[in-house]
Amino acid sequence: MLLVLVVIAWHSVVVAFGLKPYQLPLPSRVVKAGWERHWELADATAMTSLAATGGFLLSLSVGTLIGIAFSQSRAIARSVYPYAIFLQTVPIVAIAPIIINWFGTGLQSVIVVAFIISLFPIITNIYAGLTTIDPNLLELFQLHNASRWQTLTKLQLPGAVPNLVTGAKVSAGLSVIGAIVGEFFAGATDLYGLGYLIPQALGQLKMDYGFAAVICSALLGLVVFGTVSIVGERLLRRWRIGNH
Amino acid sequence: MGVCNIGKIRGLPYTWGKACLPPQHVENPLAPLAPQLVADQLRLDYPGGVTALRDLTLRVPAGQFVSVLGPSGCGKSTLLRLMGGLINSSEGILTVDGQPPSMARQRSAKMSFVFQDATLLPWRTVIGNVRLPLELLRQPAAEQQVKAINATELVGLAEFATRYPRELSGGMRMRASLARALVTQPKVLLLDEPFGALDDITRSQLNEDLLNLWQRNGWTAVFVTHNIAEAVFLSQRVIVMSPRPGRVVADIPVSLPSTRNAALRASADFARLAGEVSEQLRKACA
Ligand SMILES: Nc1ncnc2c1ncn2[C@@H]1O[C@H](COP(=O)(O)OP(=O)(O)O)[C@@H](O)[C@H]1O
Ligand SMILES: [Mg+2]
């Protein structure tokens, strides 16, 4: 419904201001341009989603490990946390060239950029989950002489799953952004992602095709976010405490 | 010690070596006659300067059911945490079976705790929650399962063994929590206002069941509550504590018949005892 309104508004703006196609193409032209080269768009979307998924899964595993390390030692948390914040605040545009220098152009660099951008929310959320535990439950574990490992695997980690799901939703969206930004800089190989197609199309003043690619990236973001949300909700069903 | 070494040399299972304690911990044949829980001039200061307990002296014989009443914030939970060896006293003596609680817990007297909230793990079924202490103690899996099933039956939750906590009522969750405490077959049971959040009917029902379990198993029970009727109904003895810093200000024996049922709650003896406890509590708070 909203989509229909947006399309109508877009169309009216183009007509009302008499905008040229290289300024803002008509929605119908975008659809047409996209359809003409839909195989190329599909390949690029698949390529980008591959890089985003790779970056996301890396974030999920590395972020969880870092979160666990933080939860085991305050000293580690205090000394490493500032670097984790650095990840959050550094402009990726500034370090992308360095990453390409290290990893070369191509998929691996794109994955690394997606990973760096999507790592932070996993670390903070899982760390929060691992460290905010019902004190009575900790006492229960202590009373039965539980080891650190038992406390981690039987109490902290399962207890942190809801936080991990929250972090994963944010991280999944960021990984798509990261993949596209990564492709801007490092995507020029035999396989092109959306982040490579968009600036290329705009450079050739093919606004309509560029817009089609932008829409594909937005859709990809939605699909990735939706998938993670659905999987997360399923997982969390067991975690919910009733309200008797 | 010699036996220990032989055990290790012969490569007997680890538990054999573990069961061998240094000579000073060999069980005293007279031990059952001595009080199981001894607190003498006990003091506890929390970091930050709060003195929760001061000069608390209390002796509990093995197998006794004691209730502890007192104004809120007087240190009742603190006392239970000390007895469980979860925190250390600042001054004074506290022993369980003649040893510091944290040592007793690992050697002679298994202890269990029941909290005000059921504190079940939401991602585990009832049976999974009940089994947890045995997992932590690394008992063999088959044994874990048998004991967990028994404990679940004991509290009347057999039908709900495979349900998740969210599918249970408050009373049933508390039963699961009780089963989790009993599964290790503890010698000492520490209960911190376990039925405080339940409605009256559920509470009375659980009181009767708990009493029944105690009569059959005979653990030493220290039961913290705000409810006078509950304390009188369950206990052989009621302790009243002063406001913070907490110490024992009244020690009231409950001389009621050992078979206690709903009818007892309406008896004159029960009313007289409840009145006495209430009076002591009022004096303590004044
Ligand atoms: N971890 C803690 N740190 C500092 N003060 C505490 C802590 N736990 C309890 N206290 C204080 O000690 C006093 C006794 O607490 P508690 O044993 O929980 O009382 P009760 O169970 O009788 O209500 C209270 O005043 C409380 O604020
Ligand atoms: Mg308390």
Side-chain angles (χ1 to χ4, degrees), chain A residues 90-167:
Chain A
V90 67
I92 194 68
V93 178
I95 55 165
I98 302 172
I99 290 168
I100 294 161
N101 194 21
W102 285 344
F103 296 93
T105 50
L107 186 60
Q108 66 278 20
S109 283
V110 179
I111 290 178
V112 170
V113 174
F115 162 65
I116 287 177
I117 286 198
S118 61
L119 179 60
F120 192 71
I122 301 284
I123 298 178
T124 46
N125 280 284
I126 198 148
Y127 179 58
L130 291 170
T131 47
T132 50
I133 300 281
D134 180 347
N136 283 342
L137 281 172
L138 281 175
E139 286 175 346
L140 180 81
F141 273 64
Q142 197 188 338
L143 198 70
H144 294 104
N145 311 313
S147 65
R148 252 168 184 249
W149 175 250
Q150 286 177 321
T151 308
L152 178 67
T153 53
K154 292 182 193 287
L155 178 60
Q156 291 176 288
L157 274 176
V161 168
N163 304 71
L164 185 62
V165 169
T166 307

Side-chain angles (χ1 to χ4, degrees), chain A residues 139 145 154 158 238 242 244, chain B residues 81 105 122-123 135 166 168:
Chain A
E139 286 175 346
N145 311 313
K154 292 182 193 287
R238 273 183 48 191
H244 289 284
Chain B
R81 268 188 227 125
R105 195 175 76 202
W123 55 87
E135 287 178 23
R166 65 169 182 279
L168 305 182

Side-chain angles (χ1 to χ4, degrees), chain A residues 188-200:
Chain A
T189 51
D190 45 346
L191 288 164
Y192 300 142
L194 290 168
Y196 178 77
L197 277 191
I198 295 168
Q200 195 201 40

